[in-house]
Amino acid sequence: MKSTALTATHEALGAKLVPYAGFNMPVQYEGVSAEHETVRKGVGVFDVSHMGEFLIEGPHALELIQKVCSNDASKLTIGKAQYSYLPNETGGIVDDLIIYKMKEESYLLVVNAGNIEKDWNWISSKNDVGATMRDLSPDYSLLAIQGPKAVEAMQSLTSHDLSEIKFYNFVVGDFAGVEHVIISATGYTGSGGFEIYCKNSEVKQIWDKVFEAGASYGIKPIGLAARDTLRLEMGYCLYGNDIDENTSPIAAGLGWVTKFTKEFTNSEALKSEKEHGPENKLVGFELDDRGIPRHGYDIVDGNGNKIGVVTSGTMSPSLNKGIGLGYVPAIFADAGSKINIQIRKNAVPATVVKTPFYKA
Amino acid sequence: MNIPAQLKYTKDHEWISIDGDVATVGITDFAQGELGDIVYVEVETVDETLEIEEIFGTVEAVKTVSDLFLPLSGEIIEFNSALEDEPEKVNSDPYGDGWMIKIKLSDVTQIDGLLSADAYKELIGA
C-alpha cells in the first residue's frame, strides 16, 4: 500500500483511511455530509496526491499528445489546461486526464491514480515520435483547495492575484512560502477553487499554511467520500465507474472533448459514432421517490425490462434526494424521460435530468 | 464507545433490548460510527415473520448499503417510522430514538445465544 506525504497528518486529524487505487487515503474526517457542505458553502482541502503526473517534453511532445488524446491540444497556450481522454482502439477509454501546457514543448498530463502504470505503458507504446517522457507521480503532491471562499481564504499565501486566474488556467509561482508551485483553477467539485501541485518535500509546509490562512474561513480537511458526492452532484464522470475500457466516450457525453481536427487513436470510428449517434447514452437521473441508486443497480422500463445500468449513485447531500448516472438507450435519454431504478425488490421511479444536478 | 451494559448484542453490530417476548432492535454506536452519516433506513418486512439471521431491512449511509439481519426469530410488529424522515437519529441516538424495529419473539430461548455487553466490547476491541 502506498502512502502520500501527508498520511501521518491525516491519521493525526482522526481521518478514516481506506485503500483506494493502491494508496492509503483519507475517506472522511468528521463525516461526509458536513464535509460536503463545507466545500459547497465555505472552503475545504483534499489531499489528492495519489493522482499521477507525467511530463511530456521536446520538439515532438505535442505530436505524441495529439496522437493519444481526444481533445485538440494544439489549442493550448502556456498557462492553460484542457480536459481530455485517451481513447483505446476498441471504442472505449484508457483514462481521462487534464493536460497543462507548461512551456513551449512541455506538457504536464494529470491522470487517475489507479491508471498510472497502464497510462504510462499506453502512451509509451505510442511514442514512436521521440518525445521525452517523465513520470513525476512518485515525487509530486496535489492539494485541491475547493469552495466559494477558496480565493479569498488563500490570497494571503501568494503574490499572484487568485481572482484573476480563470477556470482551467494556471500560474506557476509562489504559494505558502514555496516557489515554483502550480496554482491551477481546476477541481472536481463544481464549487470553484484551486489545485496546488508541489513536491512531496514541500506539501506539509503548504498544508499547514493553508490551514492557518483558512482558519478564519472555517477551512476543513475533506475526504474522498465527499469528493465523490461533490463530483456526482455535478455529473462529472469517474473513471472506473462511469467510463472505462468498454464504454464509448461518445455515449458518455465526452463528445465535447473529442476533436476531429486531427487524427488520434480510433478517431475514424469515433467520428462515425458521433455522426450516427450512440446507441446508449450516459444520463443523469433523480429518484421521484425515496431511495438511493447505487453503482451496478439495474435501470428498468415501465414493464420491468432491463434497459440499462446505474454507474454512479448516491444520496445528494445538497438536494437531499437520490441521484445517479447510468447508461440508457437513446430513446430514454431526453430530460424528462421516465425510467425506474431497481432497488432490491422495488422498481423506484426516476426522471432523467440535465446535469449538473446541483446549481450553485 | 458507548456499549450499555443492560443490552444484548450480535456480531452484526445490533443491540437488542428484551421486554417479555418483545425485543427492540437497533444498531450499535460502533456500527453507526463505522457507517458514517446514515441517510436511509428501509424496512419493508413489518407484519412478516422471519427466522433469525434473515434480512429484515437495509441501512444506507451516504457511501454504503448494509443489510440488517434479524437477531432473533419472530414477527416484526413495528418499524420506527420516525426514521423515515430523520434517519440521522441512528447516528445521534443509536440506543434511543434511533431504534429500528420491535419483534414479537417466536423462540425466547434464542436470547441465550446473544452477546453480553462485555462480549461485544471484546468483539470490537473497544
Side-chain angles (χ1 to χ4, degrees), chain A residues 87-357:
Chain A
N88 66 22
E89 275 151 9
T90 50
I93 303 170
V94 178
D95 201 4
D96 63 340
L97 74 168
I98 297 178
I99 303 167
Y100 292 83
K101 183 164 183 176
M102 307 302 298
K103 299 182 281 199
E104 288 306 328
E105 302 183 356
S106 177
Y107 298 84
L108 186 72
L109 276 51
V110 179
V111 303
N112 284 300
N115 293 336
I116 292 173
E117 193 182 343
K118 181 180 81 165
D119 292 353
W120 177 265
N121 292 337
W122 176 261
I123 300 168
S124 299
S125 75
K126 304 287 181 189
N127 186 14
D128 54 6
V129 295
T132 306
M133 292 175 55
R134 278 170 63 198
D135 181 7
L136 305 181
S137 310
D139 307 318
Y140 274 75
S141 293
L142 173 56
L143 299 181
I145 304 167
Q146 299 279 297
K149 293 183 183 166
V151 171
E152 198 184 334
M154 295 298 111
Q155 187 55 66
S156 65
L157 295 180
T158 177
S159 62
H160 293 272
D161 185 347
L162 293 177
S163 65
E164 289 292 307
I165 308 175
K166 295 195 189 91
F167 195 49
Y168 268 77
N169 283 237
F170 67 97
V171 297
V172 179
D174 65 294
F175 190 83
V178 178
E179 295 295 330
H180 308 297
V181 170
I182 300 174
I183 308 168
S184 169
T186 47
Y188 196 43
T189 65
S191 280
F194 300 91
E195 294 184 298
I196 303 290
Y197 297 83
C198 63
K199 294 197 180 103
N200 292 342
S201 56
E202 300 161 343
V203 72
K204 181 63 165 72
Q205 173 181 334
I206 292 178
W207 174 277
D208 289 341
K209 294 212 167 174
V210 162
F211 278 86
E212 273 171 39
S216 59
Y217 297 88
I219 199 166
K220 286 178 182 172
I222 314 293
L224 292 186
R227 185 168 165 84
D228 192 53
T229 54
L230 289 158
R231 72 93 192 168
L232 189 47
E233 283 188 343
M234 298 308 295
Y236 297 154
C237 288
L238 173 62
Y239 193 88
N241 272 41
D242 312 300
I243 52 175
D244 59 33
E245 294 278 354
N246 299 310
T247 55
S248 153
I250 306 302
L254 299 181
W256 66 285
V257 289
T258 309
K259 296 290 163 60
F260 301 108
T261 46
K262 44 124 196 188
E263 276 186 30
F264 57 92
T265 315
N266 204 36
S267 56
E268 281 303 312
L270 291 174
K271 190 173 182 187
S272 161
E273 187 182 353
K274 195 174 183 180
E275 280 164 5
H276 293 97
E279 255 175 70
N280 295 299
K281 284 185 180 171
L282 184 66
V283 296
F285 60 84
E286 294 180 358
L287 292 200
D288 300 337
D289 289 344
R290 223 179 264 274
I292 305 168
R294 303 287 183 181
H295 177 78
Y297 285 5
D298 285 347
I299 302 175
V300 299
D301 65 14
N303 299 319
N305 300 310
K306 180 176 173 176
I307 55 170
V309 65
V310 175
T311 54
S312 286
T314 190
M315 173 67 88
S316 161
S318 301
L319 282 66
N320 196 29
K321 61 168 90 164
I323 61 168
L325 300 175
Y327 287 94
V328 295
I331 50 164
F332 290 95
D334 290 337
S337 292
K338 292 292 177 185
I339 58 174
N340 300 277
I341 310 303
Q342 191 68 41
I343 302 179
R344 296 178 285 277
K345 291 175 194 163
N346 303 319
V348 180
T351 304
V352 173
V353 298
K354 199 168 154 34
T355 56
F357 297 99

Side-chain angles (χ1 to χ4, degrees), chain B residues 49-71:
Chain B
T49 298
L50 300 177
E51 292 299 312
I52 187 166
E53 292 289 311
E54 279 195 85
I55 293 168
F56 73 86
T58 309
V59 57
E60 301 206 35
V62 176
K63 297 300 299 172
T64 57
V65 187
S66 304
D67 288 329
L68 294 163
F69 298 97
L70 204 64

Side-chain angles (χ1 to χ4, degrees), chain B residues 16-80:
Chain B
I16 302 98
S17 165
I18 308 282
D19 182 8
D21 65 350
V22 172
T24 303
V25 178
I27 65 168
T28 65
D29 188 27
F30 174 79
Q32 70 77 19
E34 287 295 303
L35 290 169
D37 298 334
I38 289 164
V39 290
Y40 190 41
V41 181
E42 182 183 87
V43 173
E44 296 186 325
T45 49
V46 174
D47 297 334
E48 289 181 28
T49 298
L50 300 177
E51 292 299 312
I52 187 166
E53 292 289 311
E54 279 195 85
I55 293 168
F56 73 86
T58 309
V59 57
E60 301 206 35
V62 176
K63 297 300 299 172
T64 57
V65 187
S66 304
D67 288 329
L68 294 163
F69 298 97
L70 204 64
L72 298 164
S73 301
E75 181 188 352
I76 293 145
I77 54 172
E78 195 178 342
F79 166 55
N80 180 7

